[in-house]
Amino acid sequence: MSQLAKLQSDFQAYLMDDVKGAAFKAHMIDDEKVGAKKRLGIYVDAYRLRIIEALATTYPKLKALLGDDLFEITARAYIKQFPSKYRNMRWVGDKMQTHLEQTLSQHPIAVEMAAFEWALGLAFDAEDAPNFTLQDLAAILPEDWANLTFRFHPSYHLLPLQHNVVQIWNALDKEEIPPNALQTNAPCLIWRMDLNAHFRSLDTTEYAALQSIVEGASFGTLCEQLQENASEEDATIQAAQYLSGWLNDGLITKA
Amino acid sequence: MSNTQQLPHLTSPSLGFGLGLRTEHYHPILNSKFSESLKVDWFEVLSENYMVPGGKPLYFLDKIRENYPVVMHGVSLSIGSTTPLDADYLRDLRKLADRIQPAWISDHLCWTGVHGQNMHDLLPLPYTEETAKHVVERVGIVQDYLGRRILLENVSSYASYIDSTMTEWEFITEVAEQADCLLLLDVNNIYVSGYNHQFDAKVFIDGVPKNRVQQIHLAGHHNHGDYIIDTHDAPVIDPVWDLYEYAISRFGAVSTMIERDDHIPELAVLVEELQIARDIAAKSLEVAA
């Protein structure tokens, strides 16, 4: 290892743990005015504060839910457990859900809030793709409808939530007192429309319909699937309504 | 004629006076363009903020690029690190450059982590021959890959190595000349580091190669008494304006911009602050002429 490599390795070790890495201090000029420990302390603090701030930007409602103190404790433990391997601070919080499962398992609502906010972030800057429009749909020949398949926008994400996370998020967003955490089967659709991340809760039928279409089922197969609980006519109308809603929401893109 | 004046002119003509592009200002920038009331000549964007797949950041960057020259400024190249250069990062950087065609690309003369980790900070380098040689080699690789000279910026620092064998300005000069790269001189950082390490900021300015300074940064900081932390959350202070005047008298017209990363005021406030830079530069150039 070169001298430079050793210095950098020791400096980084000091930033991670200034007690274990204390020997590195000897490489720094130790003046009377400030002192090497205080000088290095500026870097030690900045490392954590910068990432805590980035995590707070990624997880604003998780922070509101946990409160400032618990969020900071959580963030500091996270930084220790999952040091950043990313060039872009944007991705630093990617293991938060795992971290909360390990450290706050008694609060599953926090785990799901992290999953929800991470998904919102992914939708925000997911790849762009041109929307499939009603005009594109009008150009489809009647005989092709049954075999028609769809491609979903890269920002599309289905989150099978087990708690009332969306209600809590909405209340926190309005700076209102959030409802108590409740267990409920509340799948959520997250995607980007008009440059902003959107979300809405889904009933189990639409959730199943979306899952089928995403997995490559055709429009005809969707109609058949919906016939399990409805007449052929009602199932076709329901499928058409879903499709129209997905198109209006900008969920479907050109193949 | 002095030796310095005989050196080839490596820098591009000044773009004028710019600002760091911040999300808070997207709408005011795009709205005011049409009334032509915005006195900002160009914008600097933080490269990493736009090295994302799509969505709002790239949408607004494309819109702003339609109306203004843009330069790219990175924080994660980690040119001084002993960990190998990150090929994925360089690929994404070049992809962004291909998309927005920046006037130039810059990053910092520092390191940000080793062993595959990123500390997300601009960490200081020991100023030694070994470090200079290492950095020069890496700048060469980056410049070959990007097909252009890059600019390296002097960082604010709070600690210095007993291992250093030269001053910061000697180190910068050696790297710039050996690697044949350009410089982004942060006048505030010179002031901050000068205060923290007790050197004369003017000696620093006099010590860097005149023909390689392509851009100047200005910013505010927080003075803790015994030391200064470079926070970019306040207006530029008078002693930094004085240093700026001194720098312009030495380097001539150089693209100048103000960085504000926290406590970001309304765009008009920064445009007003930029006017101070315009006035100082005009005065300094007039005196020099």
Side-chain angles (χ1 to χ4, degrees):
Chain A
M1 193 186 268
S2 72
Q3 201 188 341
L4 180 61
K6 173 89 170 64
L7 271 182
Q8 291 182 342
S9 189
D10 291 350
F11 197 150
Q12 183 165 295
Y14 187 92
L15 295 181
M16 309 275 291
D17 187 333
D18 58 354
V19 177
K20 273 193 205 161
F24 171 70
K25 196 156 55 73
H27 280 281
M28 289 296 165
I29 292 174
D30 192 17
D31 59 323
E32 280 183 14
K33 191 176 160 211
V34 184
K37 188 168 168 45
K38 200 165 174 184
R39 287 175 180 274
L40 284 172
I42 297 171
Y43 290 102
V44 170
D45 291 342
Y47 164 54
R48 284 162 185 80
L49 293 178
R50 193 169 285 117
I51 296 180
I52 292 170
E53 194 184 334
L55 293 172
T57 303
T58 306
Y59 297 107
K61 305 300 185 286
L62 175 67
K63 184 179 177 186
L65 187 66
L66 298 181
D68 290 352
D69 292 347
L70 183 54
F71 182 80
E72 184 169 335
I73 292 167
T74 302
R76 282 181 184 273
Y78 179 86
I79 293 164
K80 201 168 177 183
Q81 184 74 19
F82 299 104
S84 171
K85 296 194 183 304
Y86 295 110
R87 297 284 162 157
N88 190 341
M89 291 271 266
R90 156 79 182 80
W91 304 106
V92 162
D94 68 331
K95 309 276 193 322
M96 185 55 86
Q97 207 185 326
T98 311
H99 179 67
L100 292 171
E101 279 165 3
Q102 290 165 0
T103 57
L104 284 179
S105 58
Q106 70 277 31
H107 297 302
I109 188 71
V111 178
E112 287 204 348
M113 181 61 82
F116 180 64
E117 293 203 284
W118 186 253
L120 286 178
L122 290 180
F124 175 76
D125 57 14
E127 208 178 318
D128 296 304
N131 282 336
F132 189 75
T133 62
L134 280 169
Q135 284 83 348
D136 296 321
L137 198 64
I140 306 281
L141 297 172
E143 59 267 34
D144 292 335
W145 267 83
N147 291 324
L148 196 58
T149 57
F150 302 97
R151 185 188 292 263
F152 277 71
H153 193 270
S155 67
Y156 164 94
H157 192 74
L158 270 186
L159 205 58
L161 298 168
Q162 307 298 321
H163 293 82
N164 55 338
V165 171
V166 172
Q167 285 78 10
I168 293 175
W169 191 95
N170 277 323
L172 292 169
D173 195 49
K174 292 177 199 149
E175 296 184 1
E176 291 170 358
I177 296 168
N180 289 331
L182 289 174
Q183 219 170 348
T184 168
N185 185 17
C188 184
L189 168 65
I190 297 167
W191 80 106
R192 185 173 72 233
M193 182 169 60
D194 299 331
L195 298 177
N196 291 310
H198 285 253
F199 57 87
R200 66 180 167 88
S201 297
L202 297 169
D203 62 39
T204 47
T205 317
E206 188 177 4
Y207 181 67
L210 274 170
Q211 273 187 315
S212 299
I213 292 288
V214 167
E215 284 162 15
S218 66
F219 187 74
T221 307
L222 174 65
C223 290
E224 283 166 25
Q225 192 181 314
L226 290 167
Q227 276 177 48
E228 287 170 20
N229 295 307
S231 68
E232 186 179 344
E233 193 187 340
D234 286 351
T236 308
I237 291 170
Q238 178 72 87
Q241 280 173 346
Y242 281 154
L243 182 58
S244 160
W246 299 338
L247 281 174
N248 282 331
D249 284 345
L251 277 167
I252 298 174
T253 60
K254 294 185 200 296
Chain B
M1 198 182 268
S2 75
N3 283 338
T4 317
Q5 283 165 325
Q6 287 167 3
L7 289 170
H9 200 69
L10 300 170
T11 54
S12 323
S14 170
L15 295 175
F17 297 83
L19 288 176
L21 181 63
R22 303 294 176 257
T23 55
E24 291 84 343
H25 298 147
Y26 284 163
H27 288 291
I29 291 165
L30 291 173
N31 293 340
S32 61
K33 176 64 195 171
F34 301 108
S35 63
E36 295 190 349
S37 61
L38 188 64
K39 278 194 80 181
V40 180
D41 302 325
W42 55 280
F43 287 97
E44 180 188 85
V45 302
L46 288 173
S47 310
E48 289 80 1
N49 289 357
Y50 300 90
M51 289 158 75
V52 292
K56 200 181 257 185
L58 287 167
Y59 171 85
F60 278 104
L61 179 56
D62 287 342
K63 287 274 170 209
I64 285 162
R65 179 67 186 94
E66 283 172 19
N67 295 315
Y68 294 93
V70 163
V71 307
M72 280 165 52
H73 184 52
V75 293
S76 292
L77 179 61
S78 200
I79 197 73
S81 170
T82 44
T83 289
L85 284 161
D86 184 331
D88 290 344
Y89 176 82
L90 287 175
R91 184 201 59 214
D92 291 348
L93 190 69
R94 189 163 74 176
K95 194 172 151 201
L96 182 64
D98 287 345
R99 178 175 181 136
I100 66 163
Q101 299 290 315
W104 57 78
I105 301 171
S106 66
D107 205 296
H108 301 82
L109 184 49
C110 70
W111 64 288
T112 69
V114 284
H115 310 314
Q117 256 177 253
N118 193 354
M119 309 307 281
H120 299 283
D121 201 353
L122 308 171
L123 302 168
L125 289 163
Y127 307 132
T128 64
E129 291 295 339
E130 182 202 4
T131 314
K133 188 168 171 284
H134 177 70
V135 173
V136 165
E137 194 184 307
R138 285 162 66 101
V139 172
I141 296 167
V142 172
Q143 293 191 146
D144 284 349
Y145 183 78
L146 296 175
R148 56 167 86 212
R149 286 194 184 96
I150 59 167
L151 282 65
L152 289 179
E153 175 182 354
N154 58 298
V155 297
S156 287
S157 64
Y158 313 106
S160 44
Y161 299 84
I162 55 166
D163 313 73
S164 289
T165 54
M166 55 181 117
T167 63
E168 185 180 356
W169 51 97
E170 286 165 349
F171 178 73
I172 288 173
T173 302
E174 178 153 342
V175 167
E177 287 181 345
Q178 297 295 320
D180 190 19
C181 68
L182 299 170
L183 296 173
L184 194 180
L185 209 62
D186 190 315
V187 172
N188 174 62
N189 290 355
I190 299 174
Y191 179 85
V192 170
S193 294
Y195 189 98
N196 288 342
H197 307 302
Q198 295 178 310
F199 63 74
D200 183 345
K202 287 185 177 174
V203 173
F204 187 122
I205 289 171
D206 288 338
V208 296
K210 196 175 166 180
N211 61 335
R212 294 186 186 271
V213 177
Q214 174 125 312
Q215 185 187 343
I216 287 179
H217 268 173
L218 294 164
H221 56 247
H222 189 82
N223 191 320
H224 291 259
D226 289 341
Y227 57 90
I228 293 178
I229 295 190
D230 186 23
T231 45
H232 295 185
D233 62 352
V236 178
I237 64 164
D238 286 342
V240 173
W241 284 126
D242 292 344
L243 270 185
Y244 174 61
E245 186 176 352
Y246 185 77
I248 292 297
S249 70
R250 170 160 157 75
F251 302 116
V254 176
S255 304
T256 298
M257 63 152 278
I258 294 174
E259 289 182 297
R260 187 68 75 87
D261 296 319
D262 213 343
H263 300 152
I264 296 171
E266 287 193 13
L267 185 61
V269 175
L270 292 178
V271 172
E272 209 171 300
E273 197 180 14
L274 200 55
Q275 186 60 42
I276 302 174
R278 287 179 195 275
D279 293 344
I280 288 173
K283 195 178 108 192
S284 185
L285 290 172
E286 201 178 312
V287 172

